[in-house]
Amino acid sequence: MTLTDSPPPARTTYGAVLGSPYVARLLGGTLIGRLPNGMAPVAIVLLVTADGGTLAFGGLLSALYGLASALSQPVKGRLMDQHGQTRVSGPAAVLNSAALLALPAASNNGSATLAATVVVVGGLAAPPLEAGLRALWPSVLPDPVRRHTALALDTGTQGLLYIAGPLLVAALTTAHNPTLALVVTAALGLIGTALVLTAPPSRTWMPATRGRSGTSDRLFSTGLIMLFVALVGVGVAIGGMNVWAVAMAERHHTDLLSGLLPAAFSTGSFLGGLLYGHRTWPGTPTRQLLTGAAGFLLGWLPLLALPGPHAATVLIAVPGAFLTLIVARAFTTTDVLAPPARTTEAYAWLLLSIGVGQAAGTALAGRLADHPHALAALPAVGATLALTVLLLARPGRPSAYCGRDRRQHG
């Protein structure tokens, strides 16, 4: 078993981490720049339905956006490993925002092909800020203890994207229209990306030299492949939940539910991340990963009873609370198993796995929109896939998680 079975690091505080140079700026800028990830999928669905389109078509366009964004992540990650962050994320952010601004006109044009093309271009150009931030942590925080806490804080605060994002879209759409929501989405993406790229750690960052210390630059191992397949299941659950929330809003004639339910899920993720990073936890990283996957699955099961809006809003926070543990440990594992010169690309493949699953879950949920029980069960199906694959790669199966622990981790 080689998935960093070292003991947890000593405890530090969030204040000490955030007080380190550039940490607050990089984290805040990344969160702002990634708000389109939480806003665009919901805004696209609401734009289509407001123009008289079907929920299934809106779900398809939203899935295309997520799929294009996910599929392009490894390419952009590899380009960053070769050319640095500014030359990749800067142009990408401009093109992504331009596509989001053009989408309302494409939708009003009545051409499904044009709308799909614009959505795909926007997704392909989504700046790889998350992978970039993960690549920056070792240079910004050389202390592994603070880096562990930063990773938990980074992962946990991602929930804010899916709290503020969907709620902001729902509020702007209710008060004005989905077009304004897309304009705000585009502006926030540009602002956040600029904050990150103008920070000295991002401007000067370059990856480790290839082939350093005789290590192989071969990216994929059995362990990484199994981990990424498991994360596809996590993505299916999240993608299914987003469309389920829109269906709940329509069924109960409450538009705000389309943003409130994903926000409640992300609130659970945010609080779970704060709790996880606040203290050390027993067990190896592998056991923590399995625990998170099991809790994630159990958290979705109450939805099978088709709860009402109030109960659903409370219950949906439970699987969210386990999401941060899964993602944080997935990044730790990826960092251990990937070659030093391809870390950003490896992080991007991790994000692609979740993104592909999310796109598949969104598209499938759109097809199940008229079948409430099947739609409510879809997140649990995705979580079952994730736990099953991780169990197949559990301790005692050394061929699954085999790699070189060449860094210090938390």
Side-chain angles (χ1 to χ4, degrees):
M1 186 17 209
T2 56
L3 202 167
T4 44
D5 284 332
S6 56
R11 178 176 168 181
T12 188
T13 65
Y14 287 124
V17 171
L18 290 173
S20 301
Y22 305 112
V23 169
R25 176 176 176 175
L26 290 171
L27 181 59
T30 299
L31 289 174
I32 295 172
R34 291 182 59 232
L35 267 173
N37 293 355
M39 298 175 68
V42 178
I44 290 170
V45 173
L46 294 178
L47 178 69
V48 170
T49 55
D51 289 340
T54 65
L55 180 59
F57 182 60
L60 176 62
L61 288 185
S62 182
L64 284 175
Y65 182 89
L67 183 61
S69 176
L71 290 176
S72 63
Q73 286 289 335
V75 175
K76 290 177 288 192
R78 187 157 195 172
L79 288 173
M80 282 204 297
D81 281 337
Q82 295 173 343
H83 304 292
Q85 298 191 355
T86 303
R87 294 181 180 180
V88 177
S89 289
V94 173
L95 184 55
N96 172 261
S97 295
L100 292 175
L101 292 174
L103 183 57
S107 179
N108 291 333
N109 182 270
S111 170
T113 301
L114 179 59
T117 300
V118 172
V119 163
V120 168
V121 170
L124 289 174
L129 295 176
E130 184 176 2
L133 179 62
R134 300 284 160 68
L136 289 175
W137 284 139
S139 60
V140 174
L141 292 169
D143 178 9
V145 176
R146 292 193 175 187
R147 193 161 65 245
H148 166 84
T149 302
L151 179 59
L153 182 63
D154 171 11
T155 305
T157 51
Q158 288 183 54
L160 294 174
L161 302 175
Y162 303 99
I163 297 172
L167 282 177
L168 182 57
V169 168
L172 289 171
T173 300
T174 300
H176 299 280
N177 51 59
T179 298
L180 179 61
L182 285 169
V183 171
V184 173
T185 300
L188 289 173
L190 287 174
I191 292 170
T193 302
L195 283 172
V196 172
L197 297 185
T198 54
S202 178
R203 292 203 316 267
T204 60
W205 177 87
M206 287 299 292
T209 303
R210 290 184 176 272
R212 184 183 62 182
S213 302
T215 60
S216 171
D217 286 335
R218 178 176 175 267
L219 178 58
F220 290 107
S221 63
T222 304
L224 277 180
I225 292 172
M226 296 190 76
L227 176 65
F228 293 165
V229 171
L231 293 174
V232 169
V234 174
V236 167
I238 298 172
M241 176 205 64
N242 287 330
V243 178
W244 167 78
V246 176
M248 283 281 289
E250 291 187 348
R251 188 178 308 124
H252 295 281
H253 307 289
T254 307
D255 291 342
L256 192 59
L257 279 176
S258 64
L260 182 61
L261 289 170
F265 172 81
S266 298
T267 298
S269 177
F270 175 60
L271 295 177
L274 290 181
L275 179 63
Y276 172 64
H278 182 66
R279 50 161 293 183
T280 58
W281 298 91
T284 65
T286 301
R287 186 168 298 279
Q288 291 182 14
L289 187 58
L290 290 171
T291 299
F296 190 65
L297 170 57
L298 292 174
W300 292 114
L301 297 182
L303 297 188
L304 300 179
L306 300 182
H310 296 293
T313 302
V314 174
L315 292 171
I316 200 68
V318 177
F322 289 94
L323 178 64
T324 297
L325 176 55
I326 296 173
V327 175
R329 278 309 177 192
F331 271 104
T332 300
T333 304
T334 299
D335 195 35
V336 170
L337 300 181
R342 299 181 70 176
T343 52
T344 308
E345 183 183 355
Y347 298 151
W349 277 103
L350 187 157
L351 298 173
L352 182 150
S353 302
I354 298 176
V356 166
Q358 188 168 349
T362 300
L364 183 57
R367 300 298 296 268
L368 297 174
D370 295 329
H371 305 279
H373 287 89
L375 181 58
L378 184 58
V381 172
T384 299
L385 171 63
L387 180 59
T388 300
V389 174
L390 290 174
L391 285 173
L392 291 175
R394 66 188 183 277
R397 298 180 63 91
S399 62
Y401 290 145
C402 57
R404 300 166 302 282
D405 187 1
R406 27 166 235 294
R407 306 176 183 92
Q408 292 180 324
H409 298 279

